[in-house]
Amino acid sequence: MELTKKTVHYTEEGKTVFDRFYLDEDYNVPEQKEDVQRVVYSSAQLRTEDVRPVENYVKVTGKAYFKILYMTQGEVKLSVLEGKIPFEEMIYAENDGGETFFIRNERTEFSVSVVHSRKLTLRVTAELELGRERMRDEELTTDVESDFPVYKKWQKMSLSELKISKKDTYRIKEEIVLPGTKESIGQILFFDVSGRKAEIRPGQDELFLRGEAEVFCMYLSPEEKVEWIGQSVPYEGRILCEGMEEDMICQIRQNLEDPIVDIRQDEDGEMRVLGIEATLSLKMNVYSETETDILKDMYSLDRECVLDRKEGVYEELLMHNQAKCKIAERLTLPELKEDVLQIIHSEGSIQAEGERYTEEGIQIEGILHVSFLYLRADDEQPYGSWTGMIPFSYLVEYPNLPENVSASPSYRVEQLAVTLAGSEAVEVKAVLTFDIFLKKMISAGMITTVSDRPFDVDASAKRPGIVGHIVQEGEDLWSLAKKYMTTVSGIMEVNSMESENVKAGDKLLIFKENMSIL
């Protein structure tokens, strides 16, 4: 007897590790830059270069890139400082060497203190959410081949199976042409490029991408007039992905990295075009959903079948969804006073505090960190900034959520708008997107080996040839046929049954079919 088996692949996510570390540095203003009077706005972004396990630690290396927008001394005007701070962080995470680690989410806070006009103190607070996963295989037994007749029982299982696991990138290259009301560009002071809407769709051997990048650029005109522009830049393209099919389901973690904004000439040779480039980094696990018949049990009337079983853990996809949490908050900010004319630019990031699984669904708790740059009616100090936070709680609905599930959410700020709401207040409206990939773990006993041997003649001879049986809860015709060494069709024929359906309390007459074993 020989079993027919199929191997299915999965990624198993381990416990997430959260880490916070600080980067402190005394920064000397370069000689070619003007003296610092006051810092107007600052931001920093981590760029991870390597994630590598070292014994019971994970070493994360990279750089924190920062930008500082400031007012100069003497002739008061805007200028910018840029730089990077390298880091190497050892994060404690026990592992057996078979796991792969990756950055699930990251967030930074950046503060700048002026020591004097030529020296600043910088502090980066970095938060990392370190994910881990391992590849594992499970075997499905789907059939058996035998030289003698065997009666088989199958069970249908709805399973998800990992087909593709890879990393890839897509390079975004777009342009913004300045409207006629804007001055030409002399020098870029400050820019921010962040990912917003994103749609990723599988095709045959490829992925289709469509999304938007939110671009903000503050610059000096050739006459050193301060101008700025904020605009959504759409992009679309495709990535080759061998083995991809249209009906597959993609779990993709995406991150917009290495943004570049440069000055370009328009058709008339004037500097009125902004070139936008960035890398969309994708970490993808691609699954297919299948309904498989697995071999649950077997018996023969000719020989005794001896089965060995092992408990396997399989996965079923319950939900793949983009849940959207809308935030609308009015903030009273007395520090703004009455001289604020306009909100120039805003940024937001999500700090996830955790998720809880309830009967109603997945409860996600977190904080939306918001910062914005504004213009005020003060010729001496025309710019200011504010940083704060808004807590949120959001339920991803899934009524009667079963046990043994995992969601592995990833999140991003899809929309953010900060507007004035009176002399000392602003209104913050945001849409937070949570990519939910909800899976259920299914335990199932699987036949691993089978052998056959002759029946015990004496034991078989003692079995009655005719039995009256009252059906008990959980019994079916197949289990009764195996128990009394007959066939389902034989029981149905004797009892004049038109279907195999029975219920507790039914009375059956059962004849032992295999008389040769007596």
Side-chain angles (χ1 to χ4, degrees):
M1 304 181 76
E2 185 175 349
L3 296 174
T4 303
K5 296 184 178 182
K6 174 187 175 183
T7 301
V8 292
H9 309 287
Y10 294 109
T11 56
E12 183 176 73
E13 289 201 18
K15 185 178 179 182
T16 299
V17 179
F18 293 89
D19 182 66
R20 173 182 288 184
F21 62 94
Y22 303 92
L23 303 174
D24 295 294
E25 183 166 293
D26 289 332
Y27 178 81
N28 295 315
V29 178
E31 290 184 5
Q32 67 271 24
K33 289 292 185 178
E34 295 91 342
D35 290 353
V36 177
Q37 180 203 69
R38 184 176 64 88
V39 173
V40 173
Y41 195 74
S42 60
S43 67
Q45 184 179 27
L46 290 187
R47 294 186 192 174
T48 303
E49 296 170 353
D50 190 33
V51 179
R52 182 177 304 175
V54 180
E55 295 182 348
N56 284 329
Y57 289 83
V58 176
K59 183 168 75 170
V60 181
T61 57
K63 296 180 180 67
Y65 289 80
F66 64 84
K67 298 176 185 177
I68 303 169
L69 191 65
Y70 70 96
M71 300 299 297
T72 64
Q73 283 190 347
E75 182 185 355
V76 179
K77 62 180 182 178
L78 277 177
S79 188
V80 66
L81 298 169
E82 298 181 82
K84 57 189 175 183
I85 305 173
F87 68 87
E88 180 180 296
E89 177 72 357
M90 299 294 288
I91 303 173
Y92 182 74
E94 291 185 0
N95 66 89
D96 57 10
E99 293 179 308
T100 301
F101 291 85
F102 61 96
I103 304 298
R104 282 186 61 175
N105 293 292
E106 62 185 37
R107 197 185 68 82
T108 59
E109 294 179 9
F110 184 45
S111 61
V112 183
S113 301
V114 180
V115 179
H116 54 72
S117 63
R118 305 300 299 173
K119 187 175 183 179
L120 308 176
T121 298
L122 313 181
R123 167 165 261 210
V124 178
T125 303
E127 295 179 353
L128 296 179
E129 187 179 349
L130 188 66
R132 63 171 84 189
E133 64 182 16
R134 71 169 70 242
M135 302 293 294
R136 68 177 181 89
D137 294 339
E138 293 281 3
E139 284 192 332
L140 297 173
T141 301
T142 58
D143 206 348
V144 63
E145 294 182 3
S146 173
D147 296 332
F148 49 87
V150 174
Y151 297 93
K152 310 168 189 177
K153 184 178 184 179
W154 279 277
Q155 176 186 345
K156 285 190 179 296
M157 289 184 68
S158 296
L159 301 175
S160 60
E161 179 184 358
L162 181 69
K163 292 295 187 180
I164 301 169
S165 181
K166 61 179 290 191
K167 294 180 180 179
D168 213 327
T169 58
Y170 174 75
R171 191 67 180 169
I172 298 171
K173 296 183 179 181
E174 301 291 341
E175 291 184 338
I176 294 177
V177 180
L178 296 184
T181 55
K182 295 291 184 181
E183 299 280 348
S184 296
I185 308 167
Q187 175 193 348
I188 292 177
L189 290 173
F190 185 88
F191 70 83
D192 176 58
V193 181
S194 55
R196 287 293 189 251
K197 296 179 181 179
E199 177 189 350
I200 301 176
R201 182 169 52 87
Q204 189 63 43
D205 293 322
E206 61 186 354
L207 269 180
F208 296 99
L209 309 172
R210 180 184 292 119
E212 290 181 2
E214 191 69 26
V215 179
F216 171 77
C217 182
M218 182 177 252
Y219 64 92
L220 291 177
S221 71
E223 293 76 27
E224 296 198 343
K225 178 185 175 182
V226 178
E227 290 271 15
W228 58 83
I229 183 171
Q231 188 171 311
S232 293
V233 178
Y235 64 85
E236 62 178 276
R238 61 187 64 194
I239 296 176
L240 294 179
C241 189
E242 187 177 352
M244 183 76 73
E245 296 178 8
E246 292 182 7
D247 59 349
M248 288 184 174
I249 301 169
C250 302
Q251 181 186 23
I252 298 179
R253 298 186 184 277
Q254 54 182 292
N255 190 34
L256 200 64
E257 301 174 344
D258 305 331
I260 298 173
V261 176
D262 58 23
I263 310 169
R264 300 177 185 177
Q265 293 181 345
D266 64 7
E267 296 177 351
D268 299 324
E270 297 184 6
M271 297 299 188
R272 299 189 58 80
V273 177
L274 290 172
I276 312 298
E277 295 190 21
T279 299
L280 187 64
S281 176
L282 305 171
K283 180 184 182 301
M284 64 184 81
N285 289 329
V286 183
Y287 296 83
S288 66
E289 284 188 291
T290 57
E291 191 171 79
T292 304
D293 290 323
I294 64 168
L295 186 63
K296 192 67 177 175
D297 204 354
M298 70 181 84
Y299 72 95
S300 174
L301 301 179
D302 298 317
R303 295 179 66 81
E304 182 180 1
C305 299
V306 181
L307 311 179
D308 290 323
R309 301 176 186 271
K310 185 185 78 169
E311 197 75 10
V313 179
Y314 307 89
E315 296 179 0
E316 178 185 3
L317 180 62
L318 300 181
M319 179 176 68
H320 180 220
N321 186 28
Q322 279 194 347
K324 298 184 186 295
C325 169
K326 294 183 179 180
I327 294 176
E329 193 84 15
R330 181 186 172 93
L331 303 177
T332 301
L333 307 175
E335 61 268 34
L336 297 186
K337 300 180 182 178
E338 297 182 357
D339 59 351
V340 177
L341 300 177
Q342 181 184 352
I343 304 295
I344 298 174
H345 171 61
S346 60
E347 296 182 32
S349 63
I350 299 173
Q351 177 184 346
E353 298 286 283
E355 61 260 6
R356 292 183 295 108
Y357 298 92
T358 68
E359 288 187 1
E360 294 77 25
I362 307 164
Q363 190 74 43
I364 300 177
E365 311 282 347
I367 296 171
L368 172 63
H369 292 263
V370 179
S371 61
F372 59 84
L373 174 67
Y374 58 85
L375 176 69
R376 59 189 177 193
D378 184 341
D379 292 338
E380 293 297 321
Q381 303 291 343
Y383 304 100
S385 63
W386 181 88
T387 300
M389 60 183 71
I390 301 173
F392 68 85
S393 179
Y394 182 73
L395 176 66
V396 180
E397 295 183 1
Y398 193 98
N400 302 314
L401 184 70
E403 297 180 350
N404 299 321
V405 296
S406 66
S408 305
S410 60
Y411 39 83
R412 66 181 182 276
V413 180
E414 183 172 298
Q415 297 178 29
L416 177 64
V418 181
T419 56
L420 293 174
S423 60
E424 295 183 357
V426 297
E427 186 174 28
V428 179
K429 290 185 178 181
V431 176
L432 314 182
T433 296
F434 303 99
D435 290 317
I436 305 295
F437 201 83
L438 185 63
K439 297 182 291 186
K440 179 183 178 182
M441 304 296 113
I442 302 173
S443 295
M446 201 63 57
I447 300 172
T448 54
T449 61
V450 60
S451 58
D452 62 276
R453 63 191 178 196
F455 282 110
D456 184 331
V457 176
D458 293 336
S460 299
K462 294 177 182 178
R463 293 186 180 183
I466 303 174
V467 174
H469 183 88
I470 300 176
V471 177
Q472 304 299 308
E473 195 70 42
E475 291 183 331
D476 59 15
L477 286 192
W478 198 94
S479 61
L480 294 176
K482 179 182 179 182
K483 179 179 180 179
Y484 293 110
M485 297 306 297
T486 183
T487 64
V488 170
S489 60
I491 298 175
M492 293 178 64
E493 182 179 356
V494 169
N495 292 275
S496 301
M497 298 172 64
E498 295 183 356
S499 75
E500 296 183 15
N501 297 328
V502 292
K503 62 182 183 296
D506 286 352
K507 297 178 181 179
L508 300 174
L509 189 63
I510 301 176
F511 286 77
K512 182 164 63 175
E513 187 154 321
N514 186 9
M515 305 304 292
S516 65
I517 63 176
L518 295 177

